[in-house]
Amino acid sequence: MKKVLVTGGLGFIGSHTSVELVNKGYQIIIVDNLSNSKIEVHDKLEQITSKQITFHDIDLTDREAVARIFHENEIESIIHFAAFKAVGESVDKPLDYYRNNIDSLINLLEMCDSHNINKFVFSSSCTVYGQPDKLPVTESFPKMQAESPYGNTKQICEEIIEDFSKSKKRFKAISLRYFNPAGAHESGLIGELPLGVPNNLVPFITQTGAGLRDKLNVFGGDYNTHDGTCIRDFIHVVDLAIAHISALEYAEKMEENYDFFNLGTGKGYSVIEVVKSFEKVSGLSLNYQIVGRRSGDIEQIYADTSKAKERLGWVAELDLDSMMESAWRWQKNLQ
Ligand code: WQD
């Protein structure tokens, strides 16, 4: 049976997508170098799906190791999550980010070429838009100057994939531009696993709720928004996972060789609204303080999701409370 290669499949979005793929009857192979994930996630995936899932601890910058995977397995399509993704870290270690994120992609595309693999789904990000001039953001908006080496690797990788797809007749590639993933699988067995102090808002909130952090610093209360705090389009990670299957199925029939889609809910929530949602679902009063702005943050962004609805037949279904309720369940299970 032909298989779907899921790179970074033990990571936050990769693991949730692996669950949805297996539940939908796909046979998958997960490769992950565990640089930003834990081997225990593999057992959890088998527990959730009640299926054995093939996993290889592979660094995608190792061409020989990558070649072996493709030589030993009949891979039909690839969903590529594996990448370094910490914005702040990318500023400190740009060469690590360019080497890892771009070499990995090129190694995979070379395998697509030599093994005639014609379906490729890429994990991209709304950071390619920078701070848009107007909202909501549609896919026709220009890509802005990246705010970080991490964001730049996403832009460069999209361009590499587009150029490669144009050089092949049958190769079909889709970039999925995530807005802000949040939440966790309903089982509470998998979720966001930030290593060290979380950069992202939602895990910092749940860790504060769990008493692991003293308080949440809200970065900026003087933005030009309804409550002065930043606005983001938070999307449930399970909705995001399901979108990858819709994209894989769309790649079967798409006319173009390359396309890209916003994956958001189309609704923006402020930082304070996220805090209030957490307080509502947890029954806790969160200790937070509004402090100075975080450099590199944009004021507000949320998606126009009509293209994914029309072409992929996909719409996000889970709301903010569901994200916070599942994230909190996951945090409590981690204790
Ligand atoms: C959201 C809002 C912060 C932490 C990043 C990446 C993006 C994507 C999603 C990968 C901002 C505020 C945060 C805190 C806070 N990742 N905040 N206190 O920066 O929108 O996007 O994650 O694809 O590429 O850039 O997400 O969760 O860090 O911040 O007030 O302790 O929450 O200022 O306004 P961001 P975030």
Side-chain angles (χ1 to χ4, degrees):
M1 182 182 184
K2 292 191 174 181
K3 298 163 187 163
V4 181
L5 180 74
V6 182
T7 75
L10 298 188
F12 177 34
I13 300 156
S15 57
H16 287 79
T17 303
S18 295
V19 166
E20 300 304 325
L21 283 164
V22 172
N23 286 347
K24 194 147 189 201
Y26 285 88
Q27 196 171 0
I28 69 172
I29 298 174
I30 293 177
V31 293
D32 198 306
N33 70 356
L34 302 172
S35 63
N36 192 25
S37 55
K38 290 186 174 170
I39 188 63
E40 289 80 4
V41 173
H42 180 223
D43 297 337
K44 301 293 185 196
L45 294 182
E46 294 189 328
Q47 189 179 339
I48 292 169
T49 60
S50 306
K51 294 271 190 344
Q52 285 210 320
I53 297 175
T54 305
F55 163 68
H56 296 287
D57 179 349
I58 296 280
D59 188 323
L60 293 175
T61 60
D62 178 345
R63 287 182 75 189
E64 282 65 42
V66 172
R68 260 196 310 279
I69 291 290
F70 285 83
H71 179 70
E72 291 167 359
N73 296 281
E74 197 180 4
I75 291 165
E76 180 183 47
S77 51
I78 298 172
I79 304 182
H80 180 38
F81 293 102
F84 293 161
K85 63 155 205 168
V87 171
E89 183 188 54
S90 77
V91 175
D92 300 335
K93 303 176 181 173
L95 297 185
D96 291 357
Y97 272 67
Y98 286 111
R99 168 78 67 202
N100 182 71
N101 292 1
I102 294 170
D103 277 9
S104 300
L105 173 67
I106 291 174
N107 288 343
L108 288 170
L109 293 178
E110 283 182 335
M111 291 296 110
C112 290
D113 201 10
S114 53
H115 292 266
N116 197 26
I117 295 166
N118 293 311
K119 283 182 285 186
F120 192 92
V121 175
F122 176 63
S123 165
S124 189
S125 170
C126 64
T127 47
V128 301
Y129 297 115
Q131 174 59 74
D133 298 335
K134 61 189 175 80
L135 293 167
V137 185
T138 75
E139 289 84 351
S140 65
F141 278 30
K143 287 192 269 191
M144 307 294 274
Q145 172 65 35
E147 307 270 334
S148 69
Y150 158 73
N152 203 24
T153 66
K154 286 301 179 184
Q155 289 190 11
I156 293 167
C157 288
E158 281 197 6
E159 286 159 15
I160 291 172
I161 294 165
E162 182 171 11
D163 288 346
F164 179 75
S165 66
K166 285 176 178 166
S167 73
K168 300 283 155 202
K169 283 216 179 337
R170 296 177 54 228
F171 185 77
K172 305 291 184 183
I174 291 171
S175 291
L176 298 177
R177 294 173 176 174
Y178 307 159
F179 281 68
N180 285 58
H185 188 262
E186 61 186 3
S187 64
L189 294 174
I190 55 173
E192 197 164 0
L193 256 181
L195 302 181
V197 179
N199 287 308
N200 290 141
L201 176 65
V202 172
F204 206 105
I205 288 176
T206 58
Q207 288 191 11
T208 304
L212 300 176
R213 308 286 164 201
D214 172 44
K215 69 174 164 35
L216 168 76
N217 287 320
V218 173
F219 298 133
D222 58 351
Y223 286 98
N224 183 23
T225 62
H226 62 83
D227 63 12
T229 64
C230 290
I231 290 174
R232 295 290 185 273
D233 185 332
F234 292 92
I235 174 169
H236 199 296
V237 64
V238 172
D239 274 327
L240 207 51
I242 291 166
H244 288 74
I245 298 181
S246 305
L248 209 51
E249 292 168 353
Y250 181 69
E252 284 283 350
K253 61 188 180 185
M254 66 194 263
E255 301 277 313
E256 308 77 1
N257 279 65
Y258 177 70
D259 211 344
F260 44 92
F261 297 90
N262 289 341
L263 294 186
T265 63
K267 178 157 179 41
Y269 287 103
S270 74
V271 174
I272 293 296
E273 284 172 326
V274 177
V275 169
K276 294 305 175 198
S277 171
F278 173 76
E279 292 184 325
K280 174 180 157 192
V281 302
S282 65
L284 298 175
S285 172
L286 194 78
N287 183 21
Y288 70 91
Q289 180 184 1
I290 295 184
V291 298
R293 296 181 175 191
R294 180 173 71 174
S295 69
D297 275 338
I298 60 171
E299 180 173 90
Q300 53 184 310
I301 187 168
Y302 50 92
D304 177 309
T305 60
S306 50
K307 186 180 177 186
K309 182 177 180 182
E310 285 154 22
R311 302 269 185 97
L312 304 182
W314 171 89
V315 178
E317 296 180 355
L318 299 164
D319 64 11
L320 181 64
D321 288 351
S322 168
M323 292 176 221
M324 299 314 288
E325 184 267 332
S326 59
W328 181 227
R329 179 186 304 117
W330 160 244
Q331 182 66 60
K332 287 185 289 185
N333 280 354
L334 275 177
Q335 308 310 78

